[in-house]
Amino acid sequence: MKIINEDNITKFYFAAMVGVIALLSASLAYFFASRQHREFQDESWKMASEFSKIQRMKLIEETEQAVDAAAWHMRRTERILKKNIREETYKACTIARTLYNRNKGRMTDDEIRIQIREALRDVRFNQGRGYFFINDMERKKWVLLPTAPHLEGTDFRDHRDNTGDYIMRDFIRIVKTRNEGFSAYRWYRPGNAEVKKRKISFVKYFEPLNWIIGTGEYLEDVTRDIQQTLLARLSQIRFGQNGYISVLRHDGTVLLLPSRPGLTRMNARKADIEHARDIAQTLIEISRRGGGFYRYKWFRPNQDIPVDKLAYADSFEEWEWTIIASVYLDPVKTILSQKRIELEESVRENIVVTIWIFIAATLGAILISFFLSREIHRIFNTYKTDIRKRNRGLQRVNDELKHRIEELCQSERARILLLSAIEQASESVIITDPAGRIEYVNSAFEQITGYSRAEAEGKTTGGQHDERLFQTIRDALNRRGTWQGQVTNRRKDGGLYHAYAAVSPVTDHAGEIINYISIQRDITHEVALEAELRQAHKMEAIGTLAGGIAHDFNNILFPIMGYTEMTLEDVPPDSLAHRNLKEVFTGVQRAKELVQQILAFSRMEETRKQPIRLQTIIREALKLLRASLPSTIEIVRQISPECRPVMGDSIQIHQVIINLCTNAFQAMKDTGGRLYISLSEKQACAGDGISPAPGSASYLELVIRDTGHGIEKAILERIFDPYFTTKGPGEGTGMGLAVVHGIISDHAGDISVTSAAGKGTVFTVRLPVSEEETASEASCGPVPPANGAEHILVVDDEKSVTLMLKQMLEHLGYRVSACNQPDMALRQFQAAPGGFDLVISDMTMPKMTGDRLIREMRSHREDVPVILCTGFSETFTPESARSVGAQALLMKPIDRNELAAAIRAALDGSG
């Protein structure tokens, strides 16, 4: 019998108050929930009835406004064109008049003509399409025609358009009668001498030189620009909650589709999306009949499930456009979905915290990189100082050589001696006339470049540089008399080499320059060593950065993975929450694998081959590439799903696909084209160049083909050579295909290439099929985790980790004591060494590491089982863990089955 006292009354009162409050809270919650539910039902009915009426009126209004905008823009086309070309012609005349007035009296008229012509030659406008032309009325000849410079200096009077009208004679008539004016005619587009297009030009008389200066623009270019401007504005229009404007051509081409931007410029009548062809055809027919409504199912942006939609379509016949205003008919569902999204906001807050931690770790890594970069900078400065010393030595040699040339030119014997010295020098020597034409090269030049003396003489010096470098050299020679610097030249076989050059003038007794001499030392090997040194330091910094991030990031992923696994069991399998949590769990696993891949790459570990499926790697690589490829390049895939696995390293195979596809993109970046990728399984036969796996006579054939400019036969033989590249300085290292060849050879495979100039390139990779199954195929489905009832002590300095482990292990039936401080955990263990059946401890903790904690505990009880966990450690291995008495070393994040199995193994004595 309980005794009633003050303490019991207090407890009873407290319990009663809690009960009353709980009851009132539940009652109020039920009241408000019921009322909101009734209001929600009433508002839903009203919303549905009003929505249809309002949306139909809005759709008609938006469509008519878009059609009116198109008509307004079309009417402005020719006016805008004329305004632009008149303004540009006035600018050209202003430039010409300024140059004429500035140089009149200082230069001859012919010199002024040349200066004005060259000043206007490279001027471009209207997105690079517009240019200026000049006609000489006195001489009746072309002065400037940038698109056809070969016609400059020829008679322009007989040029006609396709109607037979004399174009230039009309220009003369205009300037004689009105001094300036417009002329409309049909003329060839640049680069297309077969089709003439309608063009409007504006010409103006330039009296000082009796010139006609003008420019023109094709009407279809301006129309296209205006259409693009209108489409850009229409793409920004939104009305209602989800309404937008779409535009189709009457032939089915998609011009604007905000919900599916990827379909832009595609023909909807040929699209492979379900019902897309029928929807497009119906909307076009409705618009051309005078406009009307159409209801159908279509996709929301970034969603793959079609929903009800209402559209109003009308036609703008002048441009052959079908303009459509449309809205989705499920705004109420969207509102309800928004409320559900708000419930998920708390989950995203945890993600935000994780992101901030990641940012903090990244900032720490940046600080480390800053100190490392200072050390690298010191090494580079030492290297540059050495180079400068060598360059000064080279300059001294150059000065001495020039002095000897001046002295030895006095006699034939001296010339023979000088020629012998130059011929036997290891540096290449080039002597040119004042105009830059080569008069002499020595044997070293022939050995370095591959060009014979006969091939080089008479040619002008060049290289992989633009006119600015040569202007810099000329300025240096005029100021100081010498120039020194690094240059990049191309050998006869197409390969590039780097040289350090010193250029000096050779003068006669009167001080006039009669030649230039250039001494060049091949420093290709030094440049390659410098690049390798730079890359080595980068990899060292990446390794340090990756290790620091891995430890913190794995500690972050661990509780996310644990809570997700436990929550998955608590929600219905067919619910939206279950699907969302599955995606979260999949993302955590991918993050775990990504951290492992980064660590493996940064440490340059030896590859570990296992059975992998190329289909998955190809999909991942193409997903990565698609975001960086322009829309002018189309990817065509033919991937056979029946292809069996190969034995290989997924990271290296991914690198092979990325490198080959990037080369294909480089070949098509200017002209666009198609990138074909196919994968198939074939039977091996003699001559294939590969070694089938034991028990298999098959191989996988991966073909990557492009429609680019192709590769010349002379270059094709060297593309797999290290450091061989046809790209300019700073555009490539020449190691991409060499690395690909090395990876394929390491996988017992074969790679070949076929190509021809102008016909594209085909790379064929063959890899032997593996008879082993991939890890995902060999698994037999989910295995329920092992349970138990023992008492476990969990030690980790991360509170989120200990809370998650405690909940997970209690869910498995264990009794758990959790502690965030190792010294406190040690005191608990010392107080009752026999009270714990197992200890799970983190390896890296403040005040005391995990291995030290084990030693302290084993001094009180030698047979206590221990499992160590760590986010990352370069020095502590499973062997190290066993040496200090631990049954297992687990790498975070650890999934529940792995942890449960390790616990049972340690407790049952099989660890």
Side-chain angles (χ1 to χ4, degrees):
M1 181 177 179
K2 293 185 178 180
I3 300 175
I4 298 177
N5 55 33
E6 183 179 355
D7 186 46
N8 289 338
I9 293 174
T10 303
K11 291 180 179 179
F12 175 81
Y13 178 75
F14 176 77
M17 288 298 295
V18 170
V20 170
I21 293 172
L23 181 60
L24 289 175
S25 299
S27 300
L28 289 173
Y30 177 79
F31 170 75
F32 286 116
S34 300
R35 188 176 68 176
Q36 289 178 352
H37 179 72
R38 288 193 301 271
E39 292 175 354
F40 177 80
Q41 294 294 335
D42 294 339
E43 290 176 0
S44 298
W45 183 85
K46 292 179 182 179
M47 188 183 302
S49 60
E50 291 291 328
F51 180 80
S52 178
K53 179 179 177 181
I54 295 173
Q55 292 302 323
R56 284 178 176 267
M57 296 174 61
K58 189 64 177 177
L59 291 177
I60 294 175
E61 178 186 351
E62 294 295 335
T63 304
E64 290 177 349
Q65 289 179 359
V67 171
D68 292 342
W72 184 78
H73 279 79
M74 184 194 72
R75 290 193 297 270
R76 296 177 61 242
T77 301
E78 189 167 328
R79 185 165 67 254
I80 292 174
L81 185 153
K82 289 184 176 180
K83 177 178 179 294
N84 289 343
I85 62 176
R86 179 193 288 116
E87 291 176 353
E88 295 299 334
T89 303
Y90 281 177
K91 293 178 183 177
C93 290
T94 301
I95 295 172
R97 188 169 298 279
T98 301
L99 293 175
Y100 180 85
N101 293 335
R102 181 189 303 167
N103 297 297
K104 185 178 180 180
R106 297 167 49 194
M107 301 171 64
T108 65
D109 285 352
D110 286 339
E111 291 174 336
I112 295 174
R113 286 187 178 92
I114 292 173
Q115 188 177 40
I116 296 174
R117 181 191 64 192
E118 296 308 315
L120 297 178
R121 178 181 298 278
D122 295 328
V123 177
R124 295 294 184 270
F125 47 90
N126 290 347
Q127 301 179 11
R129 300 190 305 266
Y131 59 89
F132 297 112
F133 58 82
I134 302 175
N135 300 128
D136 192 327
M137 291 184 62
E138 179 181 351
R139 302 175 184 176
K140 304 298 186 294
K141 295 182 182 295
W142 286 102
V143 176
L144 173 62
L145 188 58
T147 59
H150 61 279
L151 296 178
E152 294 176 4
T154 63
D155 196 316
F156 61 77
R157 289 174 292 179
D158 293 329
H159 292 287
R160 305 185 187 187
D161 64 8
N162 57 357
T163 64
D165 293 334
Y166 289 91
I167 300 172
M168 304 306 164
R169 295 181 184 182
D170 188 51
F171 289 172
I172 296 174
R173 178 187 59 79
I174 291 171
V175 298
K176 283 184 176 181
T177 58
R178 302 194 301 273
N179 196 49
E180 64 182 44
F182 295 95
S183 176
Y185 53 95
R186 303 183 72 83
W187 191 242
Y188 300 106
R189 292 183 65 89
N192 187 348
E194 298 178 0
V195 181
K196 293 183 177 181
K197 299 290 185 178
R198 186 165 183 262
K199 187 173 185 179
I200 298 178
S201 292
F202 180 82
V203 294
K204 183 174 177 61
Y205 181 60
F206 184 69
E207 182 179 359
L209 297 177
N210 198 18
W211 278 1
I212 298 174
I213 299 179
T215 186
E217 179 75 337
Y218 291 94
L219 191 60
E220 68 175 13
D221 289 339
V222 179
T223 301
R224 184 167 54 250
D225 291 345
I226 289 177
Q227 289 176 346
Q228 291 302 318
T229 300
L230 177 59
L231 289 172
R233 292 179 180 175
L234 293 178
S235 68
Q236 301 301 317
I237 294 177
R238 295 294 183 271
F239 50 90
Q241 292 186 343
N242 48 38
Y244 57 82
I245 301 294
S246 304
V247 181
L248 302 174
R249 286 193 190 277
H250 288 170
D251 62 0
T253 302
V254 178
L255 299 180
L256 175 62
L257 186 58
S259 64
R260 282 293 188 272
L263 296 179
T264 303
R265 298 300 174 187
M266 292 180 59
N267 195 312
R269 291 173 173 170
K270 301 177 182 179
D272 56 358
I273 299 178
E274 185 179 5
H275 305 311
R277 295 184 294 272
D278 296 336
I279 293 171
Q281 183 65 33
T282 303
L283 288 170
I284 293 171
E285 291 175 358
I286 291 174
S287 71
R288 303 197 70 179
R289 291 199 299 264
F293 291 96
Y294 180 51
R295 183 167 177 170
Y296 55 96
K297 286 185 178 293
W298 189 245
F299 305 95
R300 280 186 172 277
N302 302 321
Q303 293 184 8
D304 296 325
I305 300 176
V307 296
D308 288 334
K309 191 171 188 182
L310 180 64
Y312 183 84
D314 201 355
S315 175
F316 184 65
E317 293 294 333
E318 287 79 2
W319 286 350
E320 296 184 349
W321 278 13
T322 292
I323 300 177
I324 308 154
S326 61
V327 294
Y328 294 95
L329 299 178
D330 58 343
V332 177
K333 293 181 180 178
T334 303
I335 295 173
L336 295 177
S337 298
Q338 184 63 35
K339 292 183 180 296
R340 285 193 294 269
I341 291 173
E342 293 174 359
L343 296 177
E344 298 172 359
E345 192 64 28
S346 59
V347 176
R348 283 194 287 271
E349 290 177 357
N350 291 333
I351 296 176
V352 170
V353 173
T354 301
I355 293 174
W356 279 110
I357 295 175
F358 176 78
I359 292 174
T362 303
L363 292 175
I366 291 174
L367 184 62
I368 295 174
S369 300
F370 169 76
F371 290 108
L372 289 176
S373 65
R374 294 179 60 185
E375 179 64 17
I376 294 173
H377 182 69
R378 184 189 64 78
I379 296 174
F380 279 171
N381 284 340
T382 303
Y383 178 76
K384 290 179 181 178
T385 301
D386 182 61
I387 291 294
R388 291 193 189 98
K389 291 180 180 178
R390 297 187 181 185
N391 292 340
R392 285 195 293 270
L394 181 61
Q395 180 60 36
R396 286 195 298 271
V397 172
N398 179 59
D399 293 340
E400 293 173 1
L401 183 60
K402 182 176 69 173
H403 181 68
R404 292 185 62 188
I405 289 174
E406 294 174 351
E407 293 179 347
L408 295 178
C409 284
Q410 298 176 2
S411 66
E412 183 66 23
R413 181 171 174 272
R415 287 195 295 270
I416 295 174
L417 179 62
L418 176 62
L419 179 61
S420 176
I422 294 175
E423 282 295 321
Q424 297 178 25
S426 59
E427 292 83 7
S428 67
V429 179
I430 307 169
I431 301 177
T432 71
D433 63 13
R437 289 184 293 271
I438 297 176
E439 294 184 349
Y440 169 81
V441 296
N442 66 347
S443 299
F445 174 88
E446 296 177 323
Q447 295 173 0
I448 294 173
T449 67
Y451 289 102
S452 66
R453 184 173 301 167
E455 291 174 322
E457 289 178 350
K459 303 293 190 301
T460 57
T461 56
Q464 299 299 303
H465 304 282
D466 55 21
E467 179 61 26
R468 288 178 295 181
L469 175 63
F470 299 110
Q471 185 60 46
T472 301
I473 295 175
R474 287 192 289 268
D475 293 342
L477 293 175
N478 292 334
R479 291 195 307 270
R480 303 189 302 271
T482 60
W483 178 86
Q484 300 180 51
Q486 182 175 322
V487 295
T488 302
N489 296 319
R490 191 177 295 279
R491 295 187 175 92
K492 184 177 180 180
D493 60 8
L496 298 178
Y497 72 94
H498 303 279
Y500 188 85
V503 182
S504 303
V506 179
T507 60
D508 58 13
H509 295 291
E512 295 293 330
I513 296 176
I514 58 175
N515 292 99
Y516 288 103
I517 180 169
S518 172
I519 301 177
Q520 299 184 4
R521 179 168 57 88
D522 188 353
I523 60 171
T524 304
H525 182 65
E526 289 85 343
V527 171
L529 289 177
E530 183 179 356
E532 290 178 4
L533 176 62
R534 220 167 21 242
Q535 182 66 18
H537 285 295
K538 287 181 182 178
M539 293 306 300
E540 181 179 355
I542 290 174
T544 304
L545 173 64
I549 292 176
H551 181 271
D552 293 337
F553 198 61
N554 283 335
N555 275 327
I556 295 169
L557 291 176
F558 191 14
I560 297 176
M561 173 183 281
Y563 284 123
T564 302
E565 277 190 298
M566 290 185 289
T567 310
L568 277 170
E569 292 188 350
D570 296 335
V571 298
D574 56 348
S575 66
L576 176 63
H578 190 277
R579 291 195 298 272
N580 291 343
L581 288 170
K582 285 289 288 184
E583 290 299 322
V584 173
F585 187 70
T586 301
V588 173
Q589 289 179 318
R590 289 177 180 170
K592 175 182 178 181
E593 295 171 358
L594 178 61
V595 171
Q596 293 173 348
Q597 292 175 4
I598 291 174
L599 290 174
F601 175 75
S602 63
R603 295 195 297 263
M604 302 298 287
E605 292 181 341
E606 183 178 351
T607 60
R608 291 175 289 184
K609 298 182 178 64
Q610 59 184 353
I612 57 175
R613 285 201 174 273
L614 295 189
Q615 298 95 316
T616 303
I617 300 175
I618 293 173
R619 283 195 297 271
E620 292 176 354
L622 292 182
K623 186 184 298 182
L624 178 65
L625 281 168
R626 182 69 272 179
S628 60
L629 293 182
S631 59
T632 55
I633 296 179
E634 178 185 357
I635 299 177
V636 180
R637 291 178 280 190
Q638 294 180 345
I639 310 300
S640 173
E642 289 80 17
C643 292
R644 290 179 287 173
V646 300
M647 185 67 69
D649 180 83
S650 59
I651 297 176
Q652 290 192 339
I653 297 299
H654 187 278
Q655 182 181 0
V656 168
I657 297 171
I658 291 292
N659 281 5
L660 295 180
C661 290
T662 301
N663 277 357
F665 155 65
Q666 292 290 338
M668 300 185 291
K669 65 179 180 180
D670 296 328
T671 60
R674 289 188 175 184
L675 174 60
Y676 297 88
I677 301 178
S678 65
L679 178 69
S680 58
E681 183 172 332
K682 296 187 176 181
Q683 294 294 316
C685 59
D688 281 337
I690 66 170
S691 302
S696 173
S698 302
Y699 63 87
L700 296 191
E701 183 177 80
L702 172 64
V703 179
I704 298 178
R705 177 167 66 91
D706 64 69
T707 59
H709 50 66
I711 305 173
E712 297 179 0
K713 184 177 180 181
I715 298 176
L716 197 63
E717 298 174 353
R718 300 192 58 201
I719 60 172
F720 292 115
D721 293 349
Y723 303 109
F724 176 78
T725 178
T726 58
K727 301 175 183 176
E731 297 182 5
T733 63
M735 291 299 294
L737 290 178
V739 170
V740 167
H741 188 274
I743 292 174
I744 298 303
S745 298
D746 184 56
H747 285 69
D750 171 68
I751 182 171
S752 61
V753 57
T754 57
S755 181
K759 296 184 179 180
T761 304
V762 180
F763 282 91
T764 303
V765 176
R766 302 181 183 90
L767 295 171
V769 168
S770 172
E771 295 300 324
E772 298 183 33
E773 295 180 342
T774 62
S776 60
E777 294 169 338
S779 64
C780 300
V783 178
N787 296 334
E790 288 84 354
H791 190 188
I792 300 176
L793 175 61
V794 175
V795 187
D796 197 301
D797 61 317
E798 294 286 344
K799 187 175 181 180
S800 59
V801 173
T802 54
L803 290 176
M804 182 274 296
L805 282 175
K806 187 175 188 299
Q807 185 176 345
M808 177 184 289
L809 296 178
E810 288 177 345
H811 194 70
L812 294 174
Y814 296 102
R815 291 178 293 115
V816 182
S817 295
C819 189
N820 296 112
Q821 299 179 14
D823 52 350
M824 184 180 296
L826 180 60
R827 287 195 295 270
Q828 290 184 14
F829 185 83
Q830 291 171 343
F836 298 102
D837 300 298
L838 175 67
V839 178
I840 300 177
S841 173
D842 187 26
M843 181 59 195
T844 305
M845 296 180 292
K847 299 181 181 179
M848 188 181 299
T849 60
D851 54 344
R852 180 184 168 191
L853 179 62
I854 292 177
R855 295 188 185 95
E856 293 292 338
M857 288 183 174
R858 286 188 177 274
S859 65
H860 297 276
R861 179 184 165 191
E862 294 183 356
D863 61 343
V864 60
V866 178
I867 295 176
L868 285 175
C869 305
T870 182
F872 170 73
S873 176
E874 286 186 318
T875 58
F876 205 74
T877 64
E879 291 74 16
S880 304
R882 285 192 289 271
S883 67
V884 299
Q887 273 65 30
L889 175 66
L890 302 181
M891 299 300 296
K892 300 177 183 176
I894 313 163
D895 63 53
R896 187 178 57 172
N897 286 357
E898 180 185 2
L899 180 60
I903 290 173
R904 289 316 316 165
L907 290 171
D908 298 339
S910 58

